[in-house]
Amino acid sequence: MTKKRASKSSSRGPKAKKPRSFLKKLLFLFFKLSLLGLVLGGIGLIYLDIQIKNKFEGKRWALPAKVYARPLELYPGQVLSKTALKQELQGLGYRFVNQASQPGMVEWAANRARIYTRGFSFPDSEEAAKKLLLSFRGDQLVSINDSRGQQVSLSRLEPILIGGIYPRDNEDRDLIRLDQAPEYLKEALIQIEDRDYYQHFGISLRGIARAMWVNIQARRFVQGGSTLTQQLIKNFYLTSDRTLARKLMEIPMAVLLDLHYDKDEILEAYLNEVYLGQSGSRAVHGFGLASQYYFAQPINELKLHQVALLAGMVKGPSYYDPRRHPKRAKQRRDLVLKVLQEQGVISMKQRLDAEKRSLGVVKQRSLHKGAYPAYLDLVKRQLREEYPEEVLSSEGLKVFTSLDPMVQANSAAALANTIDSLQKRYGKPVKALQGGIVVTDPQTGEVLALVGGKNARYQGFNRALDARRPIGSLVKPAVFLAGLENGYTLASLLDDQPISVPLPNGSSWIPQNFDRTSHGKVPLFRSLAKSYNQSTAQLGMDIGLDNVVDMLERLGIEREPKPYPSLLLGAESMSPFEIAQVYQTIAANGFRTPMRAIRLVTDAEGQELSRYPFEVKQVVSAENMHLIQYALQAVTREGTARSIYNRLPAAMNVAGKTGTSNGQRDSWFAGFAGDRMAVVWLGLDENGKLPFTGSGGALRVWTDLMVKEKPHSFMAVQPEGIEYHWVEEQTGLLAAEHCEGVRQLPFIKGTAPKQYAECAAKQQDESLDWFKRWFR
């Protein structure tokens, strides 16, 4: 028995040692894994640390290029209505108050306006904020005085920010420094979002524990317990996904960020990064841009009730959207005010006064941002000729343009109102009527306005730039100019009879007048004024198509027109912008000036990068241009555009040309006054027939625009080589002033008729007889 027990005991001995050996191996493995985890974790922390520092200290954001309209210049004697000035100030976000005590405020009276300007850092100089007293008489700015009563000869308002060129993520922001933040914004954020911000080290253990308890009770991830630092990490480095992995990554990164950087540096980054809403496809980031987006004001001008609203929206920009959910947003704003008062940041009186205020949010569509998609399209196209896309969307360039918001607003209104009127009159055939407008300053070639469709805010097909349609009779001034260069005069008689031109395919081109009537012999200027097709075709075929093509190219057409006979009546398709270049040259007395939308480009610090100076090249002689300008004035006085003077004052000289394409599918008018040139196109995108011509559609838009603009009268400069003679229209011969059927026409010296009409010849004979009798 004893042996058996011993044997049993000896057999159990080795088996008892195995568990200890296994445990030791397990502990050793755990130690190695822990060590490896520490090494990998350390490497991971080092990597995170490098990433955090690189992004925080480097270029933190891709900054879109900012595009500005022209600054409104103010000077005594200026034609400027108070209504127009008010619209400009509203677009800039000025507040109309009883006493203008701060920049961005204005006092409004019957014939006066006291403006406290904001000032602006222009590329050429710094415009300081100042008080100005403006006095008006009717639609004229009579005088400007500063705060000391001294007369001011010239001052500029800051330019309206009209848009930007955004990076691929479509984020937008206006960067601000912490010291530019309005009063109470810093305190409101800390009291509402992270009361221990200046005490913790990037994370709040108390907040994390509270969030964990809430999440456990809810059995899902509903609360994060994030500090402001963690929120910055989430928005700046990570994603907004509510996952455990993202949360675990967020904590060490927040600690590292807090370890490396000052609290105010982190808070400043937060002010510029936080998401505060959505403007269409564009994300609104940072309080600087949110101030403009919701209040149309610079952030440094915000008051307590506005600051409280923005601070309250951080928790949920969509949920507390003041435009969609005003009641909910007000409750949130008032909660922020209550917390600020309870924490001693503001007094009870301040709280109650602020709670009485409305939200004060401007209508989204009333802001200038997003109001000029067609014009911005032109700016982008011109910029891309010089700058790569990445630079435009990330380097914070400042682009100063020639856009005049007043002219743009008038153009958009003229187009929309006229289309509405035509739709009411003609009904279903024009239900989808569209249009485009280009407006320039003929003296400089600057593009003042560009409208791409009836809805000027629509960011789609830009008809002003891309709607290439047959131009109809708008081509005729080029045909007649070529004729004047080839021996014709305004008094030359053209044969307005049927013409048949053989074509290479064996058919014939047989143009007809719009009224289906032939008019016999007509003087050249009358043929253009009445827009006779047959006489135009006779002239064009006589001088040759090559001369017409050459003239169009000299006037500014970059695409070589096809030299077909139908070119003479406008079969060539062009965009309103292309046609505007032609009439810009005519309005500028034969000097071709490239039309430009951009004046200047600077970098983010205001250093000049590109300047787009005024360039001119004379392409048609001043004498021949004077003749065609006379004929185009005849178009508006007695020709196809004479309805203009039903609305414009008779003393205002304008010139232009109507155009209707073959089949009546396009309605055009191009014309100019002293300081405005505009081209208007109306038509259907599907190319359907219109129930009106150029004079019945586009001309009405143009006239409505000029009534609103009140431009300077066109004063044709008479070159030295021009002389005026009385001519009998029927014969084209010299005549006397008292004869019937005569008018005074300009001629290039040496080209006037040599023969006299019967009336004038008879008068000469009588004068000669009297002379002989006197000296007999």
Side-chain angles (χ1 to χ4, degrees):
M1 283 301 277
T2 307
K3 286 181 182 179
K4 283 183 182 178
R5 276 197 215 86
S7 154
K8 221 173 201 182
S9 175
S10 64
S11 67
R12 286 176 182 171
K15 289 181 180 178
K17 291 179 181 178
K18 281 184 178 178
R20 291 178 191 168
S21 174
F22 178 74
L23 186 60
K24 284 175 69 177
K25 288 180 179 179
L26 193 63
L27 288 170
F28 185 65
L29 179 62
F30 179 75
F31 173 75
K32 288 200 293 183
L33 289 173
S34 298
L35 186 62
L36 180 63
L38 286 172
V39 172
L40 292 176
I43 294 172
L45 285 174
I46 293 172
Y47 174 78
L48 287 177
D49 192 53
I50 293 171
Q51 295 300 310
I52 287 170
K53 286 194 289 186
N54 283 346
K55 187 166 185 180
F56 201 84
E57 294 174 6
K59 194 174 92 175
R60 300 178 188 176
W61 295 284
L63 299 178
K66 299 296 184 183
V67 183
Y68 295 91
R70 60 92 189 96
L72 178 60
E73 294 185 340
L74 302 170
Y75 54 89
Q78 178 181 11
V79 177
L80 177 68
S81 70
K82 285 193 65 185
T83 301
L85 176 61
K86 190 171 188 178
Q87 289 176 347
E88 184 91 10
L89 293 170
Q90 288 172 333
L92 288 165
Y94 276 68
R95 285 166 289 153
F96 290 76
V97 295
N98 292 327
Q99 184 175 2
S101 58
Q102 294 179 345
M105 292 183 175
V106 56
E107 301 171 30
W108 206 250
N111 296 309
R112 287 186 168 190
R114 192 183 302 276
I115 304 172
Y116 201 145
T117 69
R118 295 193 180 105
F120 189 80
S121 181
F122 290 99
D124 58 352
S125 65
E126 190 80 23
E127 192 89 20
K130 54 193 171 186
K131 288 183 178 179
L132 297 175
L133 177 62
L134 279 60
S135 299
F136 291 84
R137 185 184 301 120
D139 286 343
Q140 188 176 48
L141 177 56
V142 178
S143 65
I144 307 174
N145 295 90
D146 60 19
S147 57
R148 297 171 297 175
Q150 300 293 318
Q151 289 190 347
V152 176
S153 58
L154 178 67
S155 186
R156 290 181 290 187
L157 296 179
E158 69 271 27
I160 292 173
L161 178 64
I162 62 172
I165 301 173
Y166 304 102
R168 290 181 181 178
D169 58 15
N170 237 0
E171 289 186 3
D172 192 11
R173 53 175 53 79
D174 289 338
L175 297 185
I176 64 168
R177 297 189 306 272
L178 188 59
D179 59 11
Q180 293 175 317
E183 190 177 11
Y184 305 119
L185 177 58
K186 180 177 173 181
E187 292 86 347
L189 280 174
I190 290 172
Q191 294 299 331
I192 295 298
E193 293 291 323
D194 189 358
R195 201 165 293 175
D196 297 326
Y197 177 72
Y198 281 98
Q199 283 73 50
H200 62 60
F201 49 92
I203 61 172
S204 170
L205 296 177
R206 186 191 312 164
I208 292 173
R210 183 179 62 252
M212 286 179 63
W213 176 247
V214 171
N215 293 335
I216 290 170
Q217 287 184 315
R219 295 186 179 181
R220 61 190 177 91
F221 198 88
V222 295
Q223 196 176 104
S226 296
T227 62
L228 287 175
T229 313
Q230 286 174 270
Q231 290 180 39
L232 177 61
I233 290 291
K234 176 186 69 176
N235 292 321
F236 199 46
Y237 296 96
L238 304 173
T239 68
S240 57
D241 298 336
R242 289 190 169 186
T243 62
L244 182 61
R246 194 267 294 163
K247 195 69 182 175
L248 291 174
M249 184 71 74
E250 181 185 293
I251 292 172
M253 292 179 76
V255 174
L256 288 171
L257 189 67
D258 193 84
L259 181 68
H260 283 298
Y261 301 103
D262 181 80
K263 288 284 187 181
D264 282 349
E265 284 184 276
I266 296 171
L267 187 58
E268 183 174 279
Y270 180 87
L271 292 179
N272 290 303
E273 175 60 29
V274 63
Y275 172 70
L276 285 166
Q278 195 75 23
S279 175
S281 62
R282 196 171 76 246
V284 177
H285 283 264
F287 286 91
L289 183 60
S291 176
Q292 292 284 355
Y293 179 64
Y294 291 109
F295 305 114
Q297 289 177 240
I299 190 167
N300 62 311
E301 294 181 9
L302 296 191
K303 301 304 178 186
L304 174 59
H305 68 287
Q306 297 168 311
V307 168
L309 175 61
L310 293 183
M313 288 177 62
V314 170
K315 186 177 181 180
S318 178
Y319 188 78
Y320 295 111
D321 186 333
R323 293 192 180 101
R324 295 170 55 205
H325 310 293
K327 185 176 179 180
R328 192 185 292 167
K330 186 177 186 306
Q331 289 173 344
R332 178 66 178 170
R333 181 201 71 176
D334 292 349
L335 174 62
V336 174
L337 292 169
K338 178 185 177 185
V339 170
L340 288 175
Q341 182 264 317
E342 290 176 345
Q343 296 299 315
V345 178
I346 63 175
S347 67
M348 178 60 80
K349 183 180 184 306
Q350 286 177 296
R351 171 189 166 183
L352 295 176
D353 288 344
E355 286 179 347
K356 291 176 185 175
R357 302 290 295 271
S358 66
L359 293 178
V361 176
V362 296
K363 292 181 180 179
Q364 193 168 355
R365 291 178 62 83
S366 70
L367 294 181
H368 284 266
K369 277 191 176 182
Y372 312 104
Y375 196 96
L376 283 171
D377 187 12
L378 173 62
V379 171
K380 291 173 185 177
R381 295 187 196 195
Q382 294 188 348
L383 281 172
R384 284 171 184 146
E385 295 176 4
E386 188 171 349
Y387 296 93
E389 189 69 32
E390 183 182 352
V391 172
L392 294 175
S393 62
S394 65
E395 297 294 336
L397 302 185
K398 295 178 181 178
V399 183
F400 297 91
T401 74
S402 55
L403 171 71
D404 189 320
M406 297 179 189
V407 181
Q408 179 75 20
N410 288 338
S411 301
L415 182 64
N417 293 341
T418 304
I419 288 179
D420 284 341
S421 176
L422 291 169
Q423 288 172 333
K424 288 177 183 177
R425 179 176 179 181
Y426 295 106
K428 190 175 180 180
V430 293
K431 183 179 179 181
L433 186 62
Q434 277 291 350
I437 302 180
V438 180
V439 185
T440 71
D441 182 339
Q443 299 169 9
T444 64
E446 291 188 323
V447 181
L448 306 179
L450 195 84
V451 183
K454 180 186 176 184
N455 179 0
R457 288 176 175 264
Y458 177 64
Q459 298 186 22
F461 184 53
N462 190 341
R463 294 168 186 83
L465 298 181
D466 298 324
R468 291 189 172 91
R469 305 291 287 260
I471 61 175
S473 295
L474 293 194
V475 75
K476 288 179 181 176
V479 179
F480 283 75
L481 259 175
L484 292 171
E485 285 191 342
N486 283 272
Y488 284 83
T489 70
L490 293 182
S492 297
L493 295 180
L494 302 181
D495 193 5
D496 191 59
Q497 296 293 336
I499 177 175
S500 178
V501 180
L503 300 176
N505 62 5
S507 63
S508 296
W509 179 62
I510 306 175
Q512 289 183 311
N513 287 332
F514 183 78
D515 60 4
R516 299 292 191 270
T517 302
S518 298
H519 303 92
K521 297 287 186 180
V522 294
L524 183 144
F525 83 89
R526 177 76 61 193
S527 174
L528 181 60
K530 295 293 187 178
S531 202
Y532 293 151
N533 291 335
Q534 293 176 163
S535 48
T536 302
Q538 298 272 12
L539 172 64
M541 295 308 298
D542 181 55
I543 61 175
L545 294 173
D546 289 344
N547 283 322
V548 176
V549 170
D550 174 66
M551 179 58 69
L552 283 168
E553 290 176 339
R554 283 156 57 196
L555 291 174
I557 297 299
E558 295 184 356
R559 292 180 296 110
E560 184 177 354
K562 302 178 185 66
Y564 301 147
S566 57
L567 168 67
L568 300 173
L569 301 183
E572 188 75 22
S573 293
M574 299 180 193
S575 69
F577 192 81
E578 289 176 296
I579 279 294
Q581 181 64 75
V582 171
Y583 280 82
Q584 167 68 33
T585 305
I586 295 173
N589 301 316
F591 289 91
R592 189 172 70 202
T593 306
M595 296 196 309
R596 56 203 173 99
I598 306 167
R599 291 178 173 177
L600 187 70
V601 179
T602 73
D603 62 17
E605 284 71 45
Q607 295 298 311
E608 183 179 317
L609 297 177
S610 303
R611 182 178 290 273
Y612 298 81
F614 178 61
E615 296 178 7
V616 294
K617 178 182 179 182
Q618 186 155 16
V619 293
V620 180
S621 72
E623 290 78 12
N624 278 316
M625 196 54 71
H626 184 80
L627 301 183
I628 205 68
Q629 287 173 347
Y630 177 96
L632 290 174
Q633 288 178 83
V635 172
T636 62
R637 288 288 178 182
E638 55 200 277
T640 56
R642 59 189 178 277
S643 63
I644 281 176
Y645 288 102
N646 293 338
R647 298 190 64 193
L648 291 183
M652 181 185 291
N653 284 329
V654 296
K657 185 71 189 75
T658 54
T660 309
S661 65
N662 189 36
Q664 206 164 303
R665 302 178 189 278
D666 303 276
S667 173
W668 290 92
F669 186 76
F672 50 91
D675 56 347
R676 292 289 183 272
M677 191 289 299
V679 172
V680 180
W681 168 82
L682 291 182
L684 300 168
D685 288 340
E686 70 275 14
N687 202 30
K689 185 175 180 178
L690 301 175
F692 50 79
T693 63
S695 60
L699 178 61
R700 291 178 58 182
V701 179
W702 190 92
T703 306
D704 191 36
L705 171 59
M706 294 302 155
V707 168
K708 291 179 169 68
E709 281 294 295
K710 297 181 177 65
H712 296 148
S713 182
F714 173 67
M715 302 300 292
V717 177
Q718 182 176 337
E720 289 185 5
I722 289 290
E723 55 189 15
Y724 277 74
H725 295 278
W726 288 96
V727 175
E728 186 179 65
E729 285 194 47
Q730 187 177 358
T731 63
L733 302 179
L734 291 177
E737 183 179 355
H738 72 273
C739 295
E740 292 185 8
V742 300
R743 70 184 297 148
Q744 228 180 2
L745 289 177
F747 292 88
I748 296 175
K749 287 182 179 178
T751 65
K754 307 300 182 187
Q755 294 179 299
Y756 284 87
E758 185 177 345
C759 170
K762 184 178 179 182
Q763 182 184 18
Q764 278 194 325
D765 290 341
E766 291 175 350
S767 297
L768 184 59
D769 290 343
W770 175 86
F771 183 80
K772 288 178 179 177
R773 287 196 303 272
W774 181 262
F775 288 100
R776 184 176 297 169

